[in-house]
């Protein structure tokens, strides 16, 4: 059977990137998505905003919801301080298989724990399974209608505490209206929109950064 798009994306990485060099993996994926086949990575424009926020925050405990091919996983992991821990959840086993290889090609496999499964099932188990107390940064990039229920579940499980930063992709396109309303109207979050474009296109999209102020 014909290879899937993630598998073709991986081939582009293997053909162009340098083993152990995260930047070359990022460049190879962006080139493939811009010139060969569009894919739903956060991309280079929003990726630069993501980079600057990770550098500024220097998070120790990071959670990513929705790994896909591991593009944002590599972007984040390459900037983390030594000793940081990064858990990324992926629902789709085919995406997860590709992401493991992309992360491996970047030489970042020791910094990332890729967990296969649905966020809703895993969030209540993160503390006892991984011994993580709270997250400094949560990057939301999975099903758009899951952003809000998962945020509420993270709050209830005490995995979001004062100072935790939620960074949400696609708040305009495809859009996450209920999540946006919640974080922008809640007195417990200080929210800010970083205007950008849908990856590899001229369509408007952006990232919403929401800092939890504590209950
Ligand atoms: N619960 C749970 N737990 C864990 C999980 N892991 C994966 N999933 C399922 C997530 C499936 C992929 C999510 N991402 C997107 O849908 C997405 C789409 C577009 C887009 C597409 C077409 C257009 F025309 C315009 C924009 C652009 C983006 O940047 C996107 O991120 C999970 N679910
Ligand atoms: Mg996205």
């Amino acid at each position: 059977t014909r290879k899937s798009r993630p598998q073709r994306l991986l081939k582009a990485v293997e053909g162009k990137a340098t083993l152990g060099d995260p930047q070359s993996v990022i460049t190879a994926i962006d080139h493939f998505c811009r010139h060969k086949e569009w894919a739903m990575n956060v991309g280079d424009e929003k990726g630069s905003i993501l980079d600057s926020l990770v550098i500024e925050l220097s998070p120790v405990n990071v959670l990513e919801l929705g790994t896909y091919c591991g593009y944002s996983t590599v972007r984040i992991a390459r900037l983390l301080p030594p000793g940081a821990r990064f858990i990324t959840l992926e629902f789709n086993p085919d995406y997860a298989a590709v992401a493991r290889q992309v992360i491996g090609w970047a030489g970042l496999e020791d910094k990332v724990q890729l967990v296969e499964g649905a966020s809703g099932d895993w969030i209540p188990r993160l503390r006892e399974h991984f011994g993580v107390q709270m997250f400094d940064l949560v990057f939301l990039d999975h099903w758009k209608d899951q952003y809000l229920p998962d945020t509420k579940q993270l709050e209830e499980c005490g995995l979001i505490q004062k100072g935790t930063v939620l960074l949400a992709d696609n708040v305009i396109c495809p859009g996450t209206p209920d999540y946006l309303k919640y974080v922008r109207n809640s007195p417990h979050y200080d929210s800010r929109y970083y205007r950008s474009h849908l990856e590899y296109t001229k369509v408007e999209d952006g990232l919403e950064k929401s800092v939890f102020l504590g209950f």
Side-chain angles (χ1 to χ4, degrees):
T1 53
R2 202 165 125 70
K3 289 194 174 312
S4 69
R5 178 168 311 185
Q7 285 169 327
R8 294 195 294 272
L9 179 149
L10 174 61
K11 284 277 161 281
V13 168
E14 292 168 342
K16 282 212 176 355
T18 306
L19 191 62
D21 173 0
Q23 189 53 55
S24 73
V25 169
I26 293 165
T27 303
I29 293 173
D30 285 332
H31 186 273
F32 175 80
C33 294
R34 198 172 280 285
H35 302 294
K36 298 281 188 317
E37 295 183 61
W38 186 92
M40 59 184 172
N41 316 117
V42 73
D44 46 354
E45 195 178 301
K46 289 185 288 180
S48 299
I49 301 167
L50 172 63
D51 287 358
S52 52
L53 293 172
V54 172
I55 290 166
E56 178 193 1
L57 190 60
S58 196
V60 174
N61 294 298
V62 183
L63 174 65
E64 175 179 64
L65 302 178
T67 316
Y68 189 41
C69 295
Y71 174 89
S72 51
T73 319
V74 168
R75 287 203 82 113
I76 295 168
R78 84 193 203 285
L79 299 174
L80 293 180
R85 54 177 316 161
F86 185 4
I87 297 168
T88 181
L89 286 183
E90 178 50 55
F91 178 75
N92 180 314
D94 299 328
Y95 295 172
V98 166
R100 287 189 202 286
Q101 295 176 80
V102 167
I103 294 160
W105 200 269
L108 295 168
E109 61 282 358
D110 296 341
K111 286 192 165 261
V112 181
Q113 283 181 283
L114 197 161
V115 180
E116 285 184 43
S119 51
D121 302 337
W122 268 101
I123 285 169
R125 298 159 56 194
L126 291 173
R127 177 177 276 114
E128 41 99 14
H129 202 273
F130 293 102
V132 63
Q133 292 314 310
M134 58 83 75
F135 288 105
D136 306 294
L137 171 66
V138 181
F139 181 55
L140 299 98
D141 194 20
H142 59 330
W143 272 318
K144 307 314 159 194
D145 57 6
Q146 275 299 116
Y147 284 26
L148 183 53
D150 286 355
T151 296
K152 289 186 171 170
Q153 203 178 23
L154 284 164
E155 289 172 0
E156 283 149 22
C157 296
L159 290 166
I160 291 178
Q161 290 179 20
K162 189 171 162 52
T164 296
V165 172
L166 304 183
L167 191 59
D169 189 27
N170 311 116
V171 295
I172 302 301
C173 177
T176 63
D178 59 343
Y179 172 81
L180 266 194
K181 218 158 61 97
Y182 178 74
V183 289
R184 288 178 176 175
N185 298 342
S186 164
H188 304 296
Y189 286 97
D190 178 27
S191 224
R192 184 190 150 176
Y193 175 58
Y194 291 78
R195 185 166 184 213
S196 182
H197 295 94
L198 177 68
E199 47 268 25
Y200 318 114
T201 77
K202 293 185 171 26
V203 173
E204 182 181 347
D205 187 23
L207 301 172
E208 186 81 2
K209 175 191 170 189
S210 308
V211 184
F212 189 62
L213 304 171
F215 276 122

